[in-house]
Amino acid sequence: MNGRPWRGRAPVAGALLALMLAVAACGGAPAGQGSETGGGASEEYGPQATIIEAGDISDAVTLDPQVAFEFSSVSAASLMYQRLVKFPLGDMTKPVGDAADSWDVSDDGLHWTFHLKKGLKFSSGNELTSADVVYTFERAVNIPKDPASWLITQMGITADNVDQVVTAPDPYTVKIDLPQPFSPGAFLSVLTHTVVGIVDSKTVKAHETNGDYGSGWLFDHSAGSGPYMLNNWTKDVQMEFVPNPHYTGEAPTIKHVIWKNAPETATRLDMLRRGEADIADGLSAAQAQTVQNDPNFKIFKTPDESMTYLGMDVKNVPCFAKADCRNAVKWAIDYDGIVQSLLHGFGQPLQGVIPRGIFGYTDKQYFTQDLAKAKDLLAKAGYPNGFDVEMLVPNGTLVGGVPASSVANVIKSNLEKIGIRVTIRQMEAGQMYTEYREHRAQLILANWGMDYPDPQDFAGPFGDYTQQSLIWRLQDEDQELAQLVQQAAKLQNTPERQRLYDQINNLEAAQGPFAIIYQPDVVFVYSAKLKNFNYDHVNGVGYWQIVKGQ
């Protein structure tokens, strides 16, 4: 996606708005009224067992796990719903069992058998069985206009065939017979998403209205088997979570989690300083720097699964048709300067197409700014005096919160030092991506972010032109690269798969049409009273393991 990481962070799109209205029409509680068990949590759990986090939760449209597709609602669902598999907190390289105790897969990667753990309980006290998993998949592909359902339908699972594809031969076994080839590694990664967060089918069916699969009720209720359950959601004000009394895993150390809505980052920082919040998320690098020497606070940063890159169209600009010319651009850019001066160090140069934290990542630094080498390559390509080129740049900020115009001006200055004269054309992102998709870009500064934590989510768009994504938009039909990407897609995360991604990264660097600029950090500032703070992009903040001191 164009800059949409795993947890959404996308604005409410038209389809989501339509869904929200549909949910309300089907009987979902109006925003602002709150619901569920409600009340008493503040009194029941003292301050030592309570964490208040200040952030922007205004993007949440619904808390139905099969429909949630925004940062806040997916994060909430992640606390409340188990999936068949999960990534351990802080490690997104290898899935482990969550509701599933183990699984088997056929040699062709089409036929999966999951063996469920026995004794798992929903917050209602009902036992989790294979019937709940089957119902969960049915919901994901049958709820109209579900914005998250594409994660499932891309594997060929649809409303027409889900009853044959996902079956339950006994109460503790789930079989998934994929109707079409799909990367085994990507398949398991998709199963860690909350779109297949397992719901209590008995409870949800009891709240179905007019064939809505209970989505109206799950709008602001929970029916999961995760460590927490919803206590209250007052839209645009706060969400509260309390422990699932029947959770069979290790009991959460933090019993009461409150998310306070604070759209402005300055407000979040003020709340933290006044002691009204324990955690402030989404602060800028400059704001985090203001407290980095204050012993009352700690800073947690981890690489965001997103990147900013420069794309070169190999047909619209004759020089870019030659690898030497493309590599001249790559050697001319001051990557370290951009990270230090614009990201204030809250990010890293990234030069492979797979970001840190994802299987297949390489830490190779293929390029550093070397203007003499860049000039030599430009001359070798037949353009010793450079050329003129137009660079498309989106309005607003790039990932990491950096103004796009600032990064564009640094790159323009870098390229002009080797004779490439750049004209910047800044526009609304929607218009820019439309021109990009229509092969009308010459040079483009853009973002890419994770949909699900598998290397194919990056290697495919950047390397396989048959997917008609990024490299195709730049009119580069590199068949060697495409074949490597397609070969890697057939494997789970094995040493052989890593070897293929190493080849893909090397080939992209040697002849690809992309200069990967940087990978930003996600930044949290939190009270020094909190111990064991951790976060990743799939599990969110690990509240269940935090210890709060005096």
Side-chain angles (χ1 to χ4, degrees):
M1 295 295 102
N2 295 318
R4 183 166 56 203
W6 174 242
R7 294 222 179 276
R9 300 187 189 179
V12 177
L16 292 181
L17 179 59
L19 173 66
M20 184 167 61
L21 295 173
V23 165
C26 290
Q33 291 186 359
S35 65
E36 194 47 283
T37 59
S42 298
E43 293 75 21
E44 184 175 353
Y45 305 110
Q48 297 304 115
T50 298
I51 278 185
I52 300 174
E53 180 172 339
D56 184 355
I57 59 170
S58 60
D59 63 331
V61 175
T62 174
L63 298 185
D64 184 332
Q66 271 70 73
V67 186
F69 202 50
E70 306 75 43
F71 180 81
S72 300
S73 49
V74 170
S75 297
S78 184
L79 295 176
M80 301 184 289
Y81 294 90
Q82 290 184 287
R83 284 79 85 186
L84 285 173
V85 296
K86 66 179 181 180
F87 286 106
L89 182 62
D91 180 4
M92 290 190 293
T93 60
K94 187 176 182 180
V96 298
D98 192 5
D101 188 49
S102 63
W103 58 89
D104 309 304
V105 57
S106 62
D107 291 341
D108 61 7
L110 292 175
H111 306 287
W112 295 78
T113 302
F114 292 89
H115 308 283
L116 302 185
K117 296 174 182 174
K118 297 180 179 177
L120 298 179
K121 295 287 185 67
F122 293 106
S123 55
S124 65
N126 292 331
E127 186 180 12
L128 188 157
T129 69
S130 54
D132 300 299
V133 179
V134 170
Y135 181 65
T136 294
F137 275 84
E138 289 177 1
R139 296 187 82 248
V141 296
N142 275 290
I143 295 175
K145 298 179 179 178
D146 182 344
S149 64
W150 71 269
L151 288 165
I152 303 304
T153 58
Q154 66 173 332
M155 300 186 289
I157 305 174
T158 68
D160 293 333
N161 66 15
V162 66
D163 58 336
Q164 289 94 44
V165 172
V166 185
T167 56
D170 65 55
Y172 301 105
T173 304
V174 175
K175 292 189 68 178
I176 301 178
D177 298 302
L178 293 177
Q180 64 187 42
F182 192 77
S183 164
F187 172 75
L188 288 175
S189 294
V190 169
L191 294 192
T192 68
H193 193 277
T194 56
V195 69
V196 283
I198 303 166
V199 299
D200 179 348
S201 60
K202 292 178 182 174
T203 297
V204 177
K205 286 180 178 178
H207 291 88
E208 288 184 350
T209 303
N210 299 324
D212 73 342
Y213 284 90
S215 197
W217 183 77
L218 277 178
F219 173 83
D220 59 357
H221 292 74
S222 63
S225 58
Y228 293 95
M229 56 184 282
L230 183 68
N231 186 64
N232 185 280
W233 175 28
T234 304
K235 185 157 173 59
D236 296 335
V237 178
Q238 71 176 32
M239 291 186 198
E240 288 186 66
F241 306 92
V242 294
N244 169 4
H246 301 287
Y247 181 58
T248 55
E250 188 174 350
T253 51
I254 295 298
K255 310 297 184 186
H256 187 201
V257 178
I258 302 174
W259 292 352
K260 295 275 190 182
N261 189 42
E264 300 297 330
T265 57
T267 303
R268 297 173 213 168
L269 186 56
D270 286 344
M271 290 174 67
L272 188 68
R273 283 176 163 150
R274 291 195 299 264
E276 297 171 2
D278 302 293
I279 303 170
D281 68 33
L283 301 186
S284 69
Q287 288 172 316
Q289 280 186 316
T290 66
V291 298
Q292 66 179 357
N293 295 320
D294 188 329
N296 294 309
F297 305 107
K298 292 186 176 179
I299 296 174
F300 177 91
K301 64 176 184 177
T302 189
D304 197 356
E305 303 309 343
S306 62
M307 63 178 75
T308 290
Y309 67 90
L310 189 68
M312 295 167 268
D313 190 290
V314 303
K315 291 186 177 177
N316 292 341
V317 181
C319 185
F320 289 156
K322 301 179 180 180
D324 285 333
C325 182
R326 301 193 291 270
N327 289 340
V329 170
K330 297 173 190 176
W331 282 105
I333 296 172
D334 183 7
Y335 307 93
D336 290 329
I338 290 172
V339 168
Q340 294 306 318
S341 64
L342 299 181
L343 287 171
H344 302 284
F346 286 81
Q348 305 83 25
L350 174 71
Q351 298 187 342
V353 297
I354 301 168
R356 286 175 180 80
I358 303 296
F359 186 88
Y361 161 75
T362 178
D363 61 0
K364 284 185 179 178
Q365 292 296 303
Y366 296 100
F367 307 98
T368 56
Q369 189 180 46
D370 187 333
L371 298 177
K373 188 167 187 173
K375 287 179 179 178
D376 288 344
L377 286 168
L378 201 56
K380 188 178 176 183
Y383 290 83
N385 298 317
F387 57 92
D388 297 310
V389 67
E390 176 186 81
M391 178 163 59
L392 303 186
V393 178
N395 289 337
T397 58
L398 298 170
V399 293
V402 183
S405 58
S406 299
V407 178
N409 280 311
V410 170
I411 293 173
K412 172 183 169 72
S413 174
N414 293 160
L415 297 187
E416 288 183 345
K417 289 177 180 175
I418 63 170
I420 300 177
R421 298 169 291 278
V422 178
T423 299
I424 293 174
R425 186 156 70 94
Q426 197 162 10
M427 62 186 72
E428 290 298 324
Q431 179 187 349
M432 185 186 82
Y433 285 114
T434 296
E435 294 195 20
Y436 190 14
R437 294 186 184 104
E438 294 175 350
H439 306 305
R440 290 192 281 140
Q442 296 182 357
L443 190 64
I444 183 168
L445 184 64
N447 296 322
W448 188 256
M450 181 177 73
D451 287 311
Y452 50 89
D454 185 81
Q456 282 303 110
D457 198 33
F458 296 89
F462 280 98
D464 184 0
Y465 70 94
T466 66
Q467 294 188 11
Q468 298 193 351
S469 188
L470 303 183
I471 193 168
W472 172 82
R473 294 175 190 173
L474 296 172
Q475 307 190 75
D476 186 343
E477 297 183 0
D478 188 324
Q479 295 192 17
E480 181 183 7
L481 195 52
Q483 288 171 358
L484 284 171
V485 172
Q486 292 163 12
Q487 193 176 345
K490 298 175 182 176
L491 303 176
Q492 297 190 58
N493 292 349
T494 60
E496 181 184 0
R497 199 182 196 203
Q498 179 66 56
R499 181 181 59 77
L500 288 170
Y501 286 122
D502 288 343
Q503 291 182 45
I504 290 167
N505 280 314
N506 291 339
L507 201 57
E508 283 276 14
Q511 62 192 44
F514 302 99
I516 312 298
I517 307 299
Y518 66 82
Q519 179 181 2
D521 286 334
V522 173
V523 179
F524 291 87
V525 179
Y526 61 96
S527 167
K529 296 177 182 177
L530 305 186
K531 312 298 181 187
N532 303 333
F533 185 97
N534 203 351
Y535 165 90
D536 69 39
H537 303 281
V538 174
N539 296 288
V541 174
Y543 304 104
W544 55 89
Q545 66 179 32
I546 291 177
V547 175
K548 189 174 184 182
Q550 297 289 338

